[in-house]
Amino acid sequence: MVDAHVIVIGTGILGASIAWHLARGGARVTVVGETAGGVATPASFAWINASWGNPEPYFHLRQRSIREWKRLAEELPALPLRWTGSLTFDLPAAELRAYAEEHGAWGYDIRPLAAAEIAAREPNLAAPPAFALQASGEGAVEPRQAATLLIADARRQGATVLHDRRVLGLTRSAGRITGVETADGSITADCVALAAGSGSAELAATVGVPIEMTAPAGLLVHSKPHAPLLTGLVLSDGLHLRQTIDGSIIAGGDFGGSDPGANPEAAAATLWAWVQAALRGGDALLFDRYTLGYRPTPADGFPIVGRVDGSEGLSLAITHSGVTLAPAIGLFLAREILTAECEPLLASYRFSRFT
Ligand SMILES: Cc1cc2nc3c(=O)[nH]c(=O)nc-3n(C[C@H](O)[C@H](O)[C@H](O)COP(=O)(O)OP(=O)(O)OC[C@H]3O[C@@H](n4cnc5c(N)ncnc54)[C@H](O)[C@@H]3O)c2cc1C
C-alpha cells in the first residue's frame, strides 16, 4: 500500500524518522505530536553506538542503525551528526578486553589503547586511565535538532504535521485500527504508527493492546558552549561525557543519566563538580542547566517494533536507545507498512514475544 494514509503519533526522534521514511516512500503521512522534538529525545545523551552489554542480535540491529545514520546524513547533510569515536574505560581492564574480543569478532571497530595513546587522544582528561578501548565508529547526534529537521523534511515531502495536538486514543472497527481521536476531533487512516515514547502504553491500551514498559529517570548536566576540550565521547566509570557541536559539555553518571534521587538540584550540583574535576580546564566551564529525562523502556529492556497481531493497521516503535536506533527503525517500519516486507533484524523485537 505505497500510497496509504499513515498517522504517526510522536514527533521525537522515532516518530520523526518513521514519518520521514514513510513520506520518502510515497505514503500520505499525518504526524501528530504533543511536544515538537519529543520528550525523551531532547533530554538524551544521544550517543550512537553498539557498545557492550547486549546480546548479539541486538548488537547487529544497532550496528545496522549506525550505517543507516550514515545513509541519512548523505540524504540530509544538515543533520547535526559527528562520528568522533569514543574512549571506553567504564569496566575493569579484564572486562574491557573481553568486550573488545567479543565485539571485535562480531565486526565492531574497536581496539585497545595504551596510556600514551589515550593521553594523545584526550589530552584534557585530568586522570587518564592506563588502559581504554577506542570504538572508532561511534558518534553522537544533536537529537532535538535532528528530530526537528526530519519532521521539516517530511513536511517538505508532503507530510501534514500537527504539533501541539494531543491524541486521546486510537479508534478501532472490526479488529482494524482506523485512526485516532484527538482533542480537536478524529482523523481516519489506513495505518497508525505509534511512537509516543512513554505515552505509548496509555494510547495502545485504548484499543486493548497491553504494553508493559517503564520509564527510568536520568539526569544530565550541560555546560555553556566552550572551546574544544574533548576529541570524542568519554565513557569512564561513573561519568560519561561528550562535547556537542556547539561546544557544550553534556555529562551523566552514565549515558542514560544519573539517578536523580529525591533532590535533582543537589544531584546535578554533585555531577557538575565531577565534570569540572574530570577535565583539565574544567574550572573555566560554566554551568548551563540540568535535564531530567525518562527513557521509554519495554518491560524486557528491548525494543518493540512492528505490527501487532490482531490489531491490523497498528505498528509500534517503542524503545530506549532510540537515538541510536531511529534510522533503522524508521526505515524498517516504513517498509513493513508500505510493502509488507518484514526485516529479519527485527525478528526478536516483535510485540508478539509478550503475547
Ligand atoms: C537521560 C537520557 C539519556 C539517553 N541516552 C541515550 C543515548 O546515549 N543513546 C541512545 O540511543 N538513546 C539514549 N536515550 C534514549 C533515547 O533518548 C530515547 O529512546 C528516544 O529519545 C525515544 O524517542 P521517542 O521518539 O520514542 O520518544 P520521545 O522523544 O519521548 O517522543 C515521544 C513523542 O510522543 C508524543 N506523545 C506522547 N503521548 C502523546 C499523546 N497522547 N498525544 C500526542 N503526542 C504524544 C510526545 O509529545 C513526543 O512528541 C536516552 C534517554 C534519556 C532520557
Side-chain angles (χ1 to χ4, degrees):
M1 252 203 307
V2 171
D3 61 348
H5 178 208
V6 187
I7 296 171
V8 179
I9 308 177
T11 49
I13 195 69
L14 283 178
S17 174
I18 294 164
W20 188 89
H21 284 89
L22 282 166
R24 184 75 158 177
R28 283 181 297 129
V29 182
T30 302
V31 195
V32 193
E34 206 174 8
T35 320
V39 176
T41 299
S44 181
F45 188 66
W47 169 32
I48 300 171
N49 72 89
S51 190
W52 60 265
N54 289 305
E56 190 174 358
Y58 195 45
F59 165 83
H60 288 299
L61 177 62
R62 298 173 74 107
Q63 181 74 319
R64 171 66 182 270
S65 205
I66 291 174
R67 292 204 294 279
E68 296 303 337
W69 266 120
K70 291 179 178 164
R71 185 243 332 147
L72 258 188
E74 278 175 20
E75 302 205 44
L76 290 171
L79 273 173
L81 186 62
R82 279 197 307 174
W83 300 106
T84 56
S86 70
L87 198 62
T88 301
F89 49 103
D90 55 359
L91 292 172
E95 288 175 45
L96 284 177
R97 287 186 201 284
Y99 155 45
E101 197 171 317
E102 176 189 65
H103 277 51
W106 292 347
Y108 210 38
D109 184 1
I110 191 159
R111 73 179 185 97
L113 294 191
E117 291 173 293
I118 294 167
R121 181 179 159 83
E122 294 292 359
N124 293 315
L125 289 182
F131 177 72
L133 299 175
Q134 180 179 329
S136 302
E138 296 179 359
V141 67
E142 304 318 329
R144 185 205 300 265
Q145 292 97 307
T148 306
L149 199 141
L150 285 165
I151 290 286
D153 203 65
R155 194 201 296 256
R156 198 184 54 72
Q157 296 182 64
T160 300
V161 182
L162 305 174
H163 279 313
D164 304 323
R165 187 82 65 103
R166 182 166 179 77
V167 176
L168 304 174
L170 278 59
T171 52
R172 170 180 206 132
S173 173
R176 200 185 158 84
I177 303 305
T178 53
V180 298
E181 200 66 58
T182 79
D184 300 302
S186 54
I187 310 172
T188 55
D190 299 303
C191 305
V192 173
L194 180 56
S198 299
S200 299
E202 192 183 325
L203 288 175
T206 63
V207 283
V209 174
I211 297 174
E212 273 188 49
M213 58 186 291
T214 58
L219 179 140
L220 301 175
V221 289
H222 306 247
S223 79
K224 292 197 183 297
H226 190 279
L229 282 175
L230 293 175
T231 304
L233 293 119
V234 171
L235 310 160
S236 69
D237 189 12
L239 191 63
H240 287 187
L241 299 156
R242 75 175 180 93
Q243 194 157 18
T244 66
I245 289 173
D246 79 353
S248 305
I249 300 281
I250 302 185
D254 78 10
F255 69 92
S258 323
D259 180 347
N263 186 345
E265 301 266 337
T270 304
L271 183 58
W272 178 249
W274 292 346
V275 173
Q276 289 196 294
L279 295 169
R280 282 177 221 245
D283 285 349
L285 281 172
L286 298 175
F287 180 80
D288 186 45
R289 67 188 193 283
Y290 74 84
T291 49
L292 197 49
Y294 297 86
R295 278 175 293 144
T297 308
D300 64 358
F302 293 103
I304 300 176
V305 187
R307 287 188 187 145
V308 177
D309 295 341
S311 294
E312 209 182 318
L314 175 62
S315 293
L316 303 175
I318 307 164
T319 190
H320 73 96
S321 292
V323 172
T324 296
L325 293 172
I329 288 179
L331 174 71
F332 299 156
L333 203 70
R335 225 186 241 164
E336 186 173 298
I337 290 171
L338 299 179
T339 70
E341 185 182 328
C342 288
E343 168 57 45
L345 282 171
L346 293 182
S348 305
Y349 307 114
R350 300 283 174 185
F351 179 64
S352 55
R353 73 183 184 273
F354 295 107
T355 55

